[in-house]
């Protein structure tokens, strides 16, 4: 039977890390839906129209190098405000969520728009400063020459745009369980998420 876990929250809150680990723990598939928007943004930066790019995404586009940069993230966030772009990506995400073996999807609108009937909804947050420090460490480790202030500004600008847009804005679903990871290690955050899933599975 399909079991769906929806994870939403602002940039670099730990959605992907928690989602990946939850999926591994329960044997579910995991989809980082931000990659769909980043792949669209990547192709926009290469000169393609955003709607055309979103409508013709191929699986290989999600593995393209350089998708994690702030420049691509900003392009993704601009593309993500367009209703036609979001519409082009809905069917793929819903089909993924409905797969028989169980699925974890993380993004901004999973619990509100893509999977409003998800079995578990988590809204993962952390302070701006913690998120910026974590994203800086990631970018530095992968060889990017970027500073803390620039990373913090990027996250705040995207969060503001993602929250203010009319189409599927970033916000917690009413029935989402909030998980503030500011003071949690990855292991602690994952343990809290597993506990919530098990609570739901017990009924
Ligand atoms: O998917 P999202 O952008 O929300 O965040 P992420 O890519 O999962 O996490 C951003 C960074 O924070 C990663 O390098 C994680 O290893 C790290 N992280 C952490 O240090 N502590 C946590 N409790 C969660 C994530
Ligand atoms: O990893 P991080 O949290 O920094 O960003 P991401 O999850 O890769 O998402 C990149 C951008 O895609 C976000 O800033 C949003 O504008 C957009 N996005 C969205 O609108 N809806 C989703 N379900 C996922 C991402």
């Amino acid at each position: 039977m399909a079991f769906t876990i929806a994870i939403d929250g602002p940039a670099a809150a730990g959605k992907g890390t928690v989602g990946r680990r939850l999926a591994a723990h329960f044997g579910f598939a995991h989809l980082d839906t931000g990659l769909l928007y980043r792949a669209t943004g990547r192709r926009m930066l290469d000169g393609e129209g955003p709607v055309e790019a979103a409508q013709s995404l191929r699986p290989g586009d999600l593995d393209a190098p350089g998708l994690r940069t702030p420049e691509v993230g900003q392009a993704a966030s601009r593309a993500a405000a367009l209703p036609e772009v979001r519409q082009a990506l809905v069917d793929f995400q819903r089909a993924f969520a409905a797969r028989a073996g169980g699925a974890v999807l993380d993004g901004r609108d999973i619990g509100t728009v893509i999977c409003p009937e998800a079995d578990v909804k988590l809204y993962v947050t952390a302070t701006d400063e913690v998120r910026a420090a974590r994203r800086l460490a990631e970018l530095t480790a992968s060889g990017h020459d970027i500073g803390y202030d620039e990373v913090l500004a990027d996250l705040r600008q995207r969060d503001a745009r993602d929250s203010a847009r009319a189409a599927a804005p970033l916000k917690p679903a009413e029935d989402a369980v909030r998980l503030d990871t500011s003071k949690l290690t990855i292991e602690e955050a994952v343990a809290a998420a597993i506990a919530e899933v098990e609570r739901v599975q017990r009924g």
Side-chain angles (χ1 to χ4, degrees):
M1 200 186 68
F3 188 95
T4 309
I5 302 174
I7 305 180
D8 294 300
K15 306 179 297 294
T17 303
V18 168
R20 216 166 22 250
R21 301 262 192 132
L22 269 184
H25 181 86
F26 290 101
F28 295 170
H30 172 236
L31 179 65
D32 171 355
T33 67
L35 284 179
L36 301 171
Y37 295 91
R38 285 178 180 267
T40 302
R42 170 75 268 161
R43 284 173 53 173
M44 254 169 81
L45 293 173
D46 292 337
E48 213 173 322
V51 179
E52 183 193 0
Q55 286 173 343
S56 61
L57 279 188
R58 289 175 297 270
D61 291 333
L62 306 187
D63 304 324
L67 291 185
R68 299 287 181 187
T69 65
E71 186 192 19
V72 172
Q74 285 288 339
S77 171
R78 291 195 303 276
L82 303 174
E84 299 90 338
V85 165
R86 306 199 70 83
Q87 192 54 44
L89 303 172
V90 167
D91 289 351
F92 176 78
Q93 294 175 85
R94 290 203 176 130
F96 192 97
R99 56 175 57 202
V104 183
L105 289 83
D106 76 86
R108 301 292 185 289
D109 63 338
I110 309 303
T112 51
V113 174
I114 300 296
C115 305
E117 309 296 332
D119 298 279
V120 176
K121 297 182 187 179
L122 300 175
Y123 193 79
V124 179
T125 62
T127 65
D128 296 7
E129 292 77 12
V130 165
R131 293 187 289 120
R134 288 176 181 168
R135 182 51 51 85
L136 176 67
E138 262 180 331
L139 288 167
T140 305
S142 57
H144 291 280
D145 181 18
I146 189 167
Y148 173 83
D149 291 345
E150 201 183 332
V151 173
L152 180 63
D154 167 62
L155 301 184
R156 284 183 168 157
Q157 193 182 5
R158 279 197 290 129
D159 290 346
R161 191 190 289 117
D162 294 345
S163 305
R165 71 186 177 216
L170 165 66
K171 66 171 181 198
E174 276 179 19
D175 50 348
V177 171
R178 286 171 189 260
L179 180 58
D180 183 341
T181 72
S182 303
K183 293 181 179 157
L184 302 183
T185 64
I186 292 175
E187 284 67 29
E188 289 168 338
V190 172
I194 289 174
E196 175 56 21
V197 175
E198 288 176 344
R199 191 184 67 77
V200 171
Q201 286 182 331
R202 279 195 303 271

